[in-house]
Structures are given as structure tokens and as C-alpha cells.
Amino acid sequence: QSSGVAVAVSLGLLAGCWFVYDTFWQTDFAERRKSLATAISLLAVLGLCYGLCRLFTGRGAYLHLGAIFATLMVLNVWIRILPRQQLMFDQAREGKIPDYSAGPKAKARSTHNSYLTLPVLFAMLSNHFALAHGHGWNWVLLALLCVLGGLVRHMMLQWNVGKTGAVLLVPSAAVLGLL
């Protein structure tokens, strides 16, 4: 019976996290105040890390966060990116001038996916290292892995445009070193 409850909670979290994330990022607030919306999303991830590590074992929490992020990424592609691109392709094929207004929203979701990629990999690979998921502060480590993954991705993007963002990694690496 308890495994059935755990499965129901797990599936509910996957669906619920998508619903909250998708609804939030479709609001005018998130559209106009991207930096603040990003900060709110990071706080939500912090809360999710804490909650998952209290609800499940450390190993389960890390895997579950990776599954939540991967679910967000897949649904971003299926529900928000591909349909918008398909609409523009269909309009062009019909000889109409495509409505490019949906492009920036699709690009925003693609950008979210880009920043989620490394945290998903870190969360999934961390299960091979009990030092992380078995640590007393495993939720802090999980949150730091998410932030570090996002910062590494940001540094990679900055590097591609001729900027260096390596200085952003110093605070995260220092905190990880202390733990």
C-alpha cells in the first residue's frame, strides 16, 4: 500500500510541477519580469529540493528531481515549442507570411530546456555517488548541483558569444568545497 501511495505522489509531483511551471511562465508577469520570474523559479527549485529530500530517500529525491526536470523539458518541446514552429511552417507552406509572434515564447522554453540539461544530468549521475545523496545536507547539495549546472550552461553560452562567465562558478564551487 505505501508503495502505491509513493507512486501516486510521484506521478502527482510530475504532473503538478509541469502545471505550476507552465502556468507561471505563461503569465504576463513572467513575460515582463523575466529576472524576477527566474528568481522565483529558483526559489521553487530550492523548495522542491528540500521537499523531495524529506519525502523520499536522498537517492530517490535526486532521481525524482531529474525526472521532474526531464518531464518539463519534454513537455516544453511537445506542447510549447513544436506546435509553434509547426504553425509557422504550415503558414509558410501555404504561401502566407508566417506569424513570428510565437517565436520568442518558443525560444524562451528552449532556453529553459538548455539551462535544465546539466542539472538533469547531474541529478541522474549523482546516484552513483552516495556522498551526495547520502549526505545530511543532501537537499543543499542537490540545489547547488542545479545552480552549478545552470551556471556552467550560462558560462558555455557566454563563451560562445566571446564573453567569459567563469567568475560565476567561483561561489558555487566554494560552497560545494565547504560541504
Side-chain angles (χ1 to χ4, degrees):
Q1 167 146 357
S2 77
S3 65
V5 171
V7 169
V9 168
S10 180
L11 292 174
L13 279 168
L14 289 172
C17 286
W18 164 255
F19 177 76
V20 169
Y21 161 79
D22 187 58
T23 301
F24 177 70
W25 280 100
Q26 288 189 90
T27 64
D28 288 336
F29 170 81
E31 182 89 18
R32 289 189 323 269
R33 312 275 314 262
K34 286 184 176 69
S35 294
L36 188 54
T38 300
I40 291 168
S41 293
L42 287 172
L43 286 174
V45 168
L46 181 67
L48 194 57
C49 291
Y50 179 80
L52 287 172
C53 286
R54 296 297 163 258
L55 190 59
F56 301 108
T57 64
R59 185 177 208 162
Y62 278 49
L63 278 174
H64 204 75
L65 186 72
I68 288 170
F69 285 174
T71 300
L72 298 181
M73 293 171 73
V74 167
L75 292 176
N76 272 339
V77 171
W78 283 354
I79 296 172
R80 299 294 170 209
I81 298 170
L82 289 179
R84 290 174 173 145
Q85 287 180 340
Q86 188 63 51
L87 179 63
M88 289 186 279
F89 289 140
D90 291 345
Q91 290 169 339
R93 190 175 334 120
E94 293 167 3
K96 300 177 185 175
I97 297 174
D99 177 12
Y100 294 113
S101 65
K105 289 184 179 186
K107 183 184 183 301
R109 294 302 179 102
S110 180
T111 301
H112 293 181
N113 281 5
S114 176
Y115 279 97
L116 288 172
T117 302
L118 291 175
V120 166
L121 290 173
F122 288 170
M124 297 300 183
L125 291 174
S126 68
N127 279 275
H128 297 286
F129 304 98
L131 183 64
H133 63 77
H135 194 280
W137 289 76
N138 57 2
W139 70 274
V140 174
L141 288 172
L142 182 56
L144 285 172
L145 287 172
C146 291
V147 170
L148 187 61
L151 288 174
V152 167
R153 182 62 185 138
H154 186 72
M155 185 186 74
M156 292 165 65
L157 293 170
Q158 293 299 305
W159 194 285
N160 286 339
V161 294
K163 300 178 184 176
T164 58
V167 71
L168 297 172
L169 296 176
V170 174
S172 294
V175 172
L176 277 174
L178 292 173
L179 295 174

